[in-house]
mmCIF file of all heavy atoms in Angstrom:
data_model
loop_
_atom_site.group_PDB
_atom_site.id
_atom_site.type_symbol
_atom_site.label_atom_id
_atom_site.label_comp_id
_atom_site.label_asym_id
_atom_site.label_seq_id
_atom_site.Cartn_x
_atom_site.Cartn_y
_atom_site.Cartn_z
ATOM 1 N N ALA A 108 5.082 5.282 3.269
ATOM 2 C CA ALA A 108 5.669 6.155 4.325
ATOM 3 C C ALA A 108 4.590 6.599 5.317
ATOM 4 O O ALA A 108 3.406 6.571 5.066
ATOM 5 C CB ALA A 108 6.299 7.351 3.780
ATOM 6 N N SER A 109 5.107 6.997 6.505
ATOM 7 C CA SER A 109 4.129 7.467 7.495
ATOM 8 C C SER A 109 4.803 8.397 8.476
ATOM 9 O O SER A 109 6.054 8.484 8.543
ATOM 10 C CB SER A 109 3.462 6.360 8.265
ATOM 11 O OG SER A 109 4.316 5.760 9.191
ATOM 12 N N ALA A 110 4.040 9.169 9.238
ATOM 13 C CA ALA A 110 4.624 9.923 10.448
ATOM 14 C C ALA A 110 5.069 8.893 11.392
ATOM 15 O O ALA A 110 4.530 7.727 11.487
ATOM 16 C CB ALA A 110 3.536 10.827 10.937
ATOM 17 N N MET A 111 5.883 9.281 12.426
ATOM 18 C CA MET A 111 6.423 8.436 13.412
ATOM 19 C C MET A 111 5.191 8.056 14.326
ATOM 20 O O MET A 111 5.382 7.084 14.990
ATOM 21 C CB MET A 111 7.509 9.107 14.204
ATOM 22 C CG MET A 111 8.833 9.337 13.338
ATOM 23 S SD MET A 111 9.523 7.868 12.697
ATOM 24 C CE MET A 111 9.976 7.014 14.267
ATOM 25 N N SER A 112 4.313 8.920 14.461
ATOM 26 C CA SER A 112 3.180 8.699 15.378
ATOM 27 C C SER A 112 2.162 7.556 14.841
ATOM 28 O O SER A 112 1.331 7.172 15.586
ATOM 29 C CB SER A 112 2.404 9.958 15.538
ATOM 30 O OG SER A 112 1.945 10.477 14.339
ATOM 31 N N VAL A 113 2.405 7.094 13.638
ATOM 32 C CA VAL A 113 1.540 6.029 13.056
ATOM 33 C C VAL A 113 2.271 4.721 13.317
ATOM 34 O O VAL A 113 3.427 4.464 12.930
ATOM 35 C CB VAL A 113 1.296 6.245 11.574
ATOM 36 C CG1 VAL A 113 0.552 5.125 11.009
ATOM 37 C CG2 VAL A 113 0.475 7.564 11.353
ATOM 38 N N GLU A 114 1.516 3.788 13.953
ATOM 39 C CA GLU A 114 2.069 2.435 14.163
ATOM 40 C C GLU A 114 1.879 1.587 12.937
ATOM 41 O O GLU A 114 0.720 1.540 12.456
ATOM 42 C CB GLU A 114 1.504 1.782 15.441
ATOM 43 C CG GLU A 114 2.038 0.442 15.773
ATOM 44 C CD GLU A 114 1.462 -0.216 16.925
ATOM 45 O OE1 GLU A 114 0.570 0.428 17.571
ATOM 46 O OE2 GLU A 114 1.895 -1.339 17.323
ATOM 47 N N VAL A 115 2.907 0.900 12.441
ATOM 48 C CA VAL A 115 2.935 0.098 11.284
ATOM 49 C C VAL A 115 3.212 -1.363 11.751
ATOM 50 O O VAL A 115 4.221 -1.618 12.225
ATOM 51 C CB VAL A 115 3.832 0.604 10.206
ATOM 52 C CG1 VAL A 115 3.730 -0.324 8.970
ATOM 53 C CG2 VAL A 115 3.595 2.096 9.803
ATOM 54 N N GLU A 116 2.228 -2.336 11.526
ATOM 55 C CA GLU A 116 2.424 -3.613 11.983
ATOM 56 C C GLU A 116 1.735 -4.636 10.977
ATOM 57 O O GLU A 116 0.891 -4.276 10.254
ATOM 58 C CB GLU A 116 1.859 -3.864 13.367
ATOM 59 C CG GLU A 116 0.382 -3.438 13.482
ATOM 60 C CD GLU A 116 -0.195 -3.629 14.918
ATOM 61 O OE1 GLU A 116 0.301 -4.476 15.612
ATOM 62 O OE2 GLU A 116 -1.201 -2.843 15.263
ATOM 63 N N THR A 117 2.271 -5.795 11.023
ATOM 64 C CA THR A 117 1.826 -6.855 10.075
ATOM 65 C C THR A 117 0.692 -7.592 10.914
ATOM 66 O O THR A 117 0.927 -7.995 12.042
ATOM 67 C CB THR A 117 2.888 -7.829 9.748
ATOM 68 O OG1 THR A 117 4.022 -7.134 9.088
ATOM 69 C CG2 THR A 117 2.460 -8.867 8.803
ATOM 70 N N LYS A 118 -0.443 -7.759 10.141
ATOM 71 C CA LYS A 118 -1.526 -8.460 10.836
ATOM 72 C C LYS A 118 -1.950 -9.729 9.983
ATOM 73 O O LYS A 118 -2.151 -9.541 8.787
ATOM 74 C CB LYS A 118 -2.807 -7.552 10.932
ATOM 75 C CG LYS A 118 -2.488 -6.303 11.801
ATOM 76 C CD LYS A 118 -2.262 -6.624 13.230
ATOM 77 C CE LYS A 118 -3.483 -7.174 13.887
ATOM 78 N NZ LYS A 118 -3.296 -7.330 15.399
ATOM 79 N N PHE A 119 -1.987 -10.850 10.613
ATOM 80 C CA PHE A 119 -2.404 -12.066 9.995
ATOM 81 C C PHE A 119 -3.958 -12.047 9.770
ATOM 82 O O PHE A 119 -4.743 -11.874 10.609
ATOM 83 C CB PHE A 119 -2.073 -13.277 10.916
ATOM 84 C CG PHE A 119 -2.425 -14.631 10.362
ATOM 85 C CD1 PHE A 119 -1.933 -15.067 9.138
ATOM 86 C CD2 PHE A 119 -3.232 -15.443 11.112
ATOM 87 C CE1 PHE A 119 -2.217 -16.352 8.663
ATOM 88 C CE2 PHE A 119 -3.574 -16.681 10.604
ATOM 89 C CZ PHE A 119 -3.070 -17.142 9.431
ATOM 90 N N GLN A 120 -4.319 -12.214 8.486
ATOM 91 C CA GLN A 120 -5.750 -12.128 8.190
ATOM 92 C C GLN A 120 -6.486 -13.491 8.292
ATOM 93 O O GLN A 120 -7.683 -13.527 7.959
ATOM 94 C CB GLN A 120 -6.007 -11.488 6.814
ATOM 95 C CG GLN A 120 -5.437 -12.221 5.577
ATOM 96 C CD GLN A 120 -5.889 -11.456 4.396
ATOM 97 O OE1 GLN A 120 -7.027 -11.092 4.249
ATOM 98 N NE2 GLN A 120 -4.990 -11.441 3.367
ATOM 99 N N GLY A 121 -5.784 -14.563 8.702
ATOM 100 C CA GLY A 121 -6.410 -15.895 8.785
ATOM 101 C C GLY A 121 -6.170 -16.708 7.535
ATOM 102 O O GLY A 121 -6.111 -16.202 6.380
ATOM 103 N N LEU A 122 -6.073 -17.934 7.813
ATOM 104 C CA LEU A 122 -5.843 -18.970 6.686
ATOM 105 C C LEU A 122 -6.959 -18.915 5.660
ATOM 106 O O LEU A 122 -6.673 -18.953 4.435
ATOM 107 C CB LEU A 122 -5.682 -20.318 7.287
ATOM 108 C CG LEU A 122 -4.332 -20.604 8.021
ATOM 109 C CD1 LEU A 122 -4.409 -22.019 8.681
ATOM 110 C CD2 LEU A 122 -3.125 -20.487 7.081
ATOM 111 N N THR A 123 -8.174 -18.899 6.136
ATOM 112 C CA THR A 123 -9.304 -18.920 5.149
ATOM 113 C C THR A 123 -9.302 -17.687 4.192
ATOM 114 O O THR A 123 -9.349 -17.888 3.033
ATOM 115 C CB THR A 123 -10.622 -19.041 5.883
ATOM 116 O OG1 THR A 123 -10.614 -20.170 6.663
ATOM 117 C CG2 THR A 123 -11.772 -19.109 4.873
ATOM 118 N N LYS A 124 -9.279 -16.505 4.828
ATOM 119 C CA LYS A 124 -9.289 -15.306 4.078
ATOM 120 C C LYS A 124 -8.127 -15.107 3.207
ATOM 121 O O LYS A 124 -8.112 -14.778 1.979
ATOM 122 C CB LYS A 124 -9.469 -14.104 4.960
ATOM 123 C CG LYS A 124 -10.837 -13.915 5.577
ATOM 124 C CD LYS A 124 -10.940 -12.747 6.453
ATOM 125 C CE LYS A 124 -12.293 -12.599 7.012
ATOM 126 N NZ LYS A 124 -12.424 -11.408 7.928
ATOM 127 N N GLY A 125 -6.888 -15.385 3.711
ATOM 128 C CA GLY A 125 -5.630 -15.200 3.002
ATOM 129 C C GLY A 125 -5.420 -16.236 1.930
ATOM 130 O O GLY A 125 -5.039 -15.879 0.773
ATOM 131 N N PHE A 126 -5.705 -17.502 2.207
ATOM 132 C CA PHE A 126 -5.449 -18.503 1.287
ATOM 133 C C PHE A 126 -6.326 -18.495 0.069
ATOM 134 O O PHE A 126 -5.964 -18.497 -1.140
ATOM 135 C CB PHE A 126 -5.550 -19.972 1.931
ATOM 136 C CG PHE A 126 -5.379 -21.122 1.018
ATOM 137 C CD1 PHE A 126 -4.106 -21.483 0.652
ATOM 138 C CD2 PHE A 126 -6.414 -21.729 0.490
ATOM 139 C CE1 PHE A 126 -3.894 -22.491 -0.231
ATOM 140 C CE2 PHE A 126 -6.281 -22.823 -0.452
ATOM 141 C CZ PHE A 126 -4.954 -23.252 -0.747
ATOM 142 N N PHE A 127 -7.694 -18.286 0.309
ATOM 143 C CA PHE A 127 -8.737 -18.268 -0.711
ATOM 144 C C PHE A 127 -8.660 -16.956 -1.541
ATOM 145 O O PHE A 127 -9.213 -16.946 -2.639
ATOM 146 C CB PHE A 127 -9.981 -18.592 -0.237
ATOM 147 C CG PHE A 127 -10.130 -20.098 0.142
ATOM 148 C CD1 PHE A 127 -10.206 -20.503 1.456
ATOM 149 C CD2 PHE A 127 -10.226 -21.067 -0.832
ATOM 150 C CE1 PHE A 127 -10.288 -21.789 1.784
ATOM 151 C CE2 PHE A 127 -10.368 -22.372 -0.509
ATOM 152 C CZ PHE A 127 -10.377 -22.756 0.816
ATOM 153 N N SER A 128 -8.140 -15.899 -0.932
ATOM 154 C CA SER A 128 -8.023 -14.645 -1.745
ATOM 155 C C SER A 128 -7.013 -14.670 -2.882
ATOM 156 O O SER A 128 -7.071 -13.930 -3.761
ATOM 157 C CB SER A 128 -7.706 -13.453 -0.841
ATOM 158 O OG SER A 128 -6.424 -13.521 -0.404
ATOM 159 N N GLY A 129 -6.022 -15.581 -2.741
ATOM 160 C CA GLY A 129 -4.943 -15.599 -3.704
ATOM 161 C C GLY A 129 -3.945 -14.606 -3.456
ATOM 162 O O GLY A 129 -2.992 -14.362 -4.150
ATOM 163 N N GLU A 130 -4.175 -13.782 -2.362
ATOM 164 C CA GLU A 130 -3.221 -12.743 -2.011
ATOM 165 C C GLU A 130 -2.448 -13.181 -0.775
ATOM 166 O O GLU A 130 -2.550 -14.332 -0.390
ATOM 167 C CB GLU A 130 -3.959 -11.318 -1.731
ATOM 168 C CG GLU A 130 -4.892 -10.999 -2.865
ATOM 169 C CD GLU A 130 -4.151 -10.665 -4.152
ATOM 170 O OE1 GLU A 130 -3.062 -10.119 -4.051
ATOM 171 O OE2 GLU A 130 -4.714 -11.093 -5.158
ATOM 172 N N SER A 131 -1.727 -12.199 -0.229
ATOM 173 C CA SER A 131 -0.894 -12.560 1.025
ATOM 174 C C SER A 131 -1.797 -12.981 2.195
ATOM 175 O O SER A 131 -2.906 -12.369 2.334
ATOM 176 C CB SER A 131 0.010 -11.364 1.349
ATOM 177 O OG SER A 131 0.619 -11.633 2.551
ATOM 178 N N LEU A 132 -1.271 -13.792 3.114
ATOM 179 C CA LEU A 132 -1.995 -14.127 4.296
ATOM 180 C C LEU A 132 -1.964 -12.974 5.320
ATOM 181 O O LEU A 132 -2.577 -12.922 6.359
ATOM 182 C CB LEU A 132 -1.383 -15.347 4.945
ATOM 183 C CG LEU A 132 -1.432 -16.667 4.225
ATOM 184 C CD1 LEU A 132 -0.716 -17.725 4.913
ATOM 185 C CD2 LEU A 132 -2.862 -17.066 4.016
ATOM 186 N N PHE A 133 -1.063 -11.958 4.955
ATOM 187 C CA PHE A 133 -0.832 -10.810 5.910
ATOM 188 C C PHE A 133 -1.290 -9.511 5.206
ATOM 189 O O PHE A 133 -1.091 -9.318 4.085
ATOM 190 C CB PHE A 133 0.600 -10.715 6.308
ATOM 191 C CG PHE A 133 1.099 -11.919 7.165
ATOM 192 C CD1 PHE A 133 1.565 -13.039 6.509
ATOM 193 C CD2 PHE A 133 1.032 -11.902 8.536
ATOM 194 C CE1 PHE A 133 2.000 -14.171 7.249
ATOM 195 C CE2 PHE A 133 1.501 -12.959 9.303
ATOM 196 C CZ PHE A 133 1.891 -14.099 8.656
ATOM 197 N N LEU A 134 -1.829 -8.625 6.112
ATOM 198 C CA LEU A 134 -2.013 -7.214 5.702
ATOM 199 C C LEU A 134 -1.181 -6.354 6.592
ATOM 200 O O LEU A 134 -0.690 -6.742 7.559
ATOM 201 C CB LEU A 134 -3.509 -6.897 5.992
ATOM 202 C CG LEU A 134 -4.643 -7.648 5.222
ATOM 203 C CD1 LEU A 134 -5.994 -7.348 5.793
ATOM 204 C CD2 LEU A 134 -4.548 -7.328 3.705
ATOM 205 N N ILE A 135 -1.057 -5.060 6.148
ATOM 206 C CA ILE A 135 -0.290 -4.074 6.935
ATOM 207 C C ILE A 135 -1.288 -3.201 7.584
ATOM 208 O O ILE A 135 -2.186 -2.566 6.930
ATOM 209 C CB ILE A 135 0.552 -3.224 6.004
ATOM 210 C CG1 ILE A 135 1.559 -4.104 5.184
ATOM 211 C CG2 ILE A 135 1.344 -2.194 6.890
ATOM 212 C CD1 ILE A 135 2.507 -4.945 6.027
#
Side-chain angles (χ1 to χ4, degrees):
S109 75
M111 295 299 296
S112 53
V113 173
E114 183 178 1
V115 180
E116 56 184 330
T117 303
K118 299 295 288 185
F119 181 58
Q120 61 173 322
L122 287 172
T123 302
K124 290 181 178 179
F126 179 78
F127 287 105
S128 72
E130 306 299 321
S131 173
L132 296 175
F133 294 88
L134 297 170
I135 305 298

